[in-house]
Amino acid sequence: ATEAGRKKIVIALRMADKGTIAPAAGPESHWLIEESKRWYNDSKRLVSKCSKPDYEEFKKIAISTGLGMVVMGFVGFFVKILHIPINNILMGM
């Protein structure tokens, strides 16, 4: 999107917050404005309900994320190790 297009969207969203829609706004932009407002309100509600994790919860999340990365790394490594000889057999023929 161009800078002018972004400015039009910002202006339309501000007008939608005031309860007025630009006269040139068609049904597509009205839909975009309504969906943007709904997404903004849903996001605001989600952030207000979220809480900062305590140390124990953070530690569990960090450990499980780290283990997931290690497992995915090993899977990728073994796939690559198996791929090299299979590729050499197929291309060698």
Side-chain angles (χ1 to χ4, degrees), residues 27-55:
E28 295 85 14
S29 38
H30 182 67
W31 173 82
L32 176 67
I33 292 167
E34 291 301 319
E35 286 298 313
S36 299
K37 282 172 50 176
R38 187 181 62 77
W39 178 81
Y40 175 75
N41 289 334
D42 288 345
S43 300
K44 207 164 63 168
R45 188 177 319 118
L46 173 70
V47 170
S48 69
K49 289 187 179 197
C50 291
S51 63
K52 190 173 182 180
D54 61 349
Y55 179 75

Side-chain angles (χ1 to χ4, degrees), residues 54-66:
D54 61 349
Y55 179 75
E56 289 300 318
E57 186 179 7
F58 176 78
K59 193 166 111 176
K60 285 180 185 178
I61 292 169
I63 289 172
S64 61
T65 302

